[in-house]
Amino acid sequence: MIVPFQEGDDDEKKKGKRKTASGGGPPIERYSSSPQLLRRRSGTGGGGGGGGADTMRGSAGGERSSEEFERRFLRVLDRVHETLERNEARDMENEGREAAREEWRKVAQVTDRLLLVLFSTGSLLAAALLFAFAPL
């Protein structure tokens, strides 16, 4: 998610900026983060309120939010892992089906050639017998 560039953030002014696609509006940060993450980075905590208690709560909240982030991150990693496992299983299943399909295609091709040879041999033999024993 791209967040509008804020005028008071000197650190972010030093980072790469780019204009919006329409050319108007405030410049935006190249690789920006959510406002919640920006507040966490700047150490202002989650809410409004006073300075001292908010700073202390911000550090405890930082640990809590770090644990929350880790928990969410692990959940996302688990989902990604499950998805990859399902895709691998599906790919293996598709490869097995494709191998069986190719095998049957070869069986059909061999059977087709065998029947062609039998039909051609029978036709030629029948024609030869008809011409050999036909009264003139």
Side-chain angles (χ1 to χ4, degrees), residues 112-130:
D112 185 49
R113 298 265 167 87
L114 178 66
L115 292 175
L116 175 66
V117 168
L118 287 175
F119 176 77
S120 298
T121 304
S123 296
L124 289 174
L125 187 62
L129 288 174
L130 283 176

Side-chain angles (χ1 to χ4, degrees), residues 40 60-73:
R40 245 186 273 147
E63 291 174 13
R64 185 175 50 223
S65 64
S66 175
E67 291 172 2
E68 177 72 16
F69 171 77
E70 187 173 341
R71 186 177 61 77
R72 288 183 180 180
F73 184 71

Side-chain angles (χ1 to χ4, degrees), residues 6 9 12 33-48 54 58:
Q6 297 185 5
D9 296 335
E12 273 138 22
S33 303
S34 69
Q36 185 179 18
L37 182 62
L38 291 175
R39 280 193 303 268
R40 245 186 273 147
R41 282 185 184 167
S42 66
T44 58
D54 197 29

